[in-house]
Amino acid sequence: MADHEVRLSTNGLLIDRIDLDFDVKIDGKVLGTLKVSEGGLEWRPKHGRRRGKHGTLSWKRFADWAENVA
């Protein structure tokens, strides 16, 4: 079973003109980085190419996806 843990407490932190970067690891191995910003979400795989703005998922698209995941 994979060993992973996710924790974040912001106490109402407003993300305004800053990005939050989350290094995603499973069993100590880095899978990539999840960037969270005012504009949306962006996934950057460890060994993949950076996708820039084209790889960003808007909050609207993310909400649509999340509501339709079974």
Side-chain angles (χ1 to χ4, degrees):
M1 177 183 248
D3 176 30
H4 62 277
E5 190 173 313
V6 179
R7 294 184 201 185
L8 178 67
S9 177
T10 64
N11 294 325
L13 173 69
L14 175 64
I15 300 174
D16 186 24
R17 298 188 192 118
I18 62 169
D19 292 345
L20 298 176
D21 293 350
F22 296 90
D23 291 332
V24 179
K25 299 177 183 180
I26 293 181
D27 293 331
K29 296 177 183 172
V30 176
L31 297 178
T33 301
L34 177 65
K35 298 182 74 64
V36 179
S37 70
E38 198 173 356
L41 303 168
E42 180 181 349
W43 175 252
R44 292 185 178 180
K46 178 182 177 189
H47 295 296
R49 300 176 83 174
R50 288 188 177 189
R51 293 176 154 246
K53 291 292 181 186
H54 301 292
T56 301
L57 183 63
S58 72
W59 289 110
K60 171 71 172 118
R61 285 188 57 205
F62 173 75
D64 291 343
W65 172 83
E67 290 174 6
N68 291 304
V69 173

